[in-house]
Amino acid sequence: MSGSSSPGDLGRADDATASANGAQRAVVYAGPGRAEVADVRLPALETRAGPGVLPRRCDHGVIVRTLATCVCGSDLHTLHGPGATPGMVLGHELTGVVVEVGRDVERVKVGDACSVPFNVACGRCANCRAGLTGHCLSANPSRPGATYGMGEGFGGWAGMQAEYALVPYADFNLYVFADADQARERLLDVAMIGDILPTGYHAARSAGVAPGSTVYIAGAGPVGLACAAACRMLGAAAIIVGDFNAERLEHVRSVGFIPADLANGSLEEIVAEVVGRPLVDVGIDCVGASDAAVAKAAAGGMVAPALALNDIIGIVRHGGSIAIPGVYPAGAPGVRPPLGVWLGGVWSKAITVTSGATPVRRYQDELAAAVLLGGVGIGDVVHATTIPLAKGAEAYEMSGAGASRKFVLTP
Ligand code: ZN
Ligand code: ZN
C-alpha cells in the first residue's frame, strides 16, 4: 500500500458497506462518558495521525472486515477515563474476514476468518517471545503493552468497533479459523476468544484453579461469567459469583453457577453455606477499580476503591491465591492512585497474587478448540446479544447501566 485509502485500492470495491468516499461507520468517543456512531476514514496499511492514532507504516498488517465486534467493560473505562480524544474509534474485540494483506504478510490470506487478540504484539521482542504478548516492548512507544481503541497511551492504534480495522503484525497476532463457515455459524461463541474467554481463563489458570478447587469470582459481568466458564472447564468443584445486581445474579444461576447476592447477605456466610467454611482456595477479582472511584478516594471521599479485592482477601484461605483480571489504574507518571488494598491480609495469609493484561494469543488455539469442538457454550454463558453497529451508542448505555448482557455489534 502507498497510503491511499480508496475502497478500490483496498480490494473492497464491491463491498456495499464501504462508501464511495472512503468512509465507514464506527463507534467513536464523543466526550466524557459518551459514545456515538460516526463516519470515519477507512483503515489503510499506512496510518495517518488521527484521534487516538499514531502514524506508522504497517506492511506487516492486514485489513479485516468486521463480522462481530464486542463492547467491553474496559471500553467503559476508556469512555470515563482521561486517555480518550474526541472522534477516536473505540473497541478492541474483533472477529472478521481478511480483505487485504500487507506486503510483508506471509501466513495470513485474503478470505481468512480470524479472531483478533486485544493485545497488539509485535511477536519479535523479548516479551512477545516469552509469551507476554500483553506487554509487548515495541507496539507502544510510551510503555510496554498496547491495545486498540484506547488512545496514544495504549500505543495509538485505531479501535475496532467499525466496519473495517487494521491489524498489525498479522502473521503473529491473528488466530485464523480452520473453517470460516463454522466460525460464522458460531459467531457469538468465537467472538469471545479475542478477549473475555482468554482473560477469564488466564486468571483461572494463573491462580491455579484445578479439579476440586473452590472459587469465588467478584463481578457477574461478562468477564466474571467467562471466568466462571473457564473455572468449570478446569474442573473447579464450587464456583461462586458475587454481585449486587439482581438481574446479573439471576443469570449466574441460570447458567449453572452459584450466585452470591452481596446486597442481601455477607459474603462469608454465603461461602460458608456452599463450602462448609467461610474460605475458598481461589478468589478472582473481575471488578477492578474505576477512575471515578480512584478520583473520589484521592479527594478524600472514599477509603478503599479496592472493595471487591478486599472482600476476596477476606475469604481466600491461608496459602490460597488471587487473580486480578479487573483493571486497576496505574496513575499518571509520579502519581500512585490511592486504592486502599488490604495488603496485610495478603501477607498474613501468604496469598499468591497474579494480575495484569492477559496474553490472549497464548490461549487462542486451545480455547477455539474448546469452543468449537468441546461444546463450551460461552456465548450463552455471557448472554451474548447482537445489536447493529449503527446502534453502538445504545449498547454502551445499556452496558454502562449494568445490563446482564455481552453486546456484540454487527455491521
Ligand atoms: Zn475487552
Ligand atoms: Zn513485542
Side-chain angles (χ1 to χ4, degrees), residues 70-75 91-93 118 147 150 194-196 199 223 406:
C70 307
V71 178
C72 182
S74 41
D75 295 330
H92 57 266
E93 298 187 14
F118 77 80
T147 190
M150 292 190 184
D195 182 352
I196 63 171
T199 292
V223 171
K406 172 74 172 175

Side-chain angles (χ1 to χ4, degrees), residues 105-281:
V105 175
E106 297 177 351
R107 183 178 71 89
V108 177
K109 299 182 297 298
V110 169
D112 282 348
C114 59
S115 169
V116 183
F118 77 80
N119 326 105
V120 184
C122 75
R124 304 160 182 179
C125 72
N127 279 359
C128 282
R129 281 185 286 166
L132 297 168
T133 58
H135 304 271
C136 173
L137 301 171
S138 312
N140 181 351
S142 57
R143 61 179 173 78
T147 190
Y148 307 90
M150 292 190 184
E152 293 189 15
F154 290 84
W157 298 96
M160 299 188 142
Q161 284 160 2
E163 292 171 285
Y164 295 91
L166 164 69
V167 180
Y169 310 108
D171 278 333
F172 180 73
N173 281 314
L174 286 186
Y175 175 80
V176 175
F177 293 100
D179 182 337
D181 291 336
Q182 184 190 36
R184 283 174 190 270
E185 282 162 21
R186 298 283 303 279
L187 192 57
L188 291 186
D189 292 315
V190 299
M192 304 307 151
I193 70 165
D195 182 352
I196 63 171
L197 184 56
T199 292
Y201 186 69
H202 174 66
R205 283 269 301 260
S206 60
V209 173
S213 296
T214 54
V215 184
Y216 170 69
I217 296 167
V223 171
L225 291 164
C227 188
C231 291
R232 185 151 65 192
M233 288 164 62
L234 293 166
I239 304 165
I240 304 163
V241 185
D243 207 295
F244 292 90
N245 178 320
E247 185 194 343
R248 286 181 166 193
L249 291 165
E250 187 45 46
H251 180 69
V252 166
R253 190 193 309 278
S254 76
V255 290
F257 306 110
I258 303 162
D261 182 355
L262 303 178
N264 292 295
S266 93
L267 180 58
E268 284 77 8
E269 284 172 19
I270 296 165
V271 169
E273 213 168 282
V274 175
V275 179
R277 57 178 187 159
L279 295 169
V280 291
D281 300 315

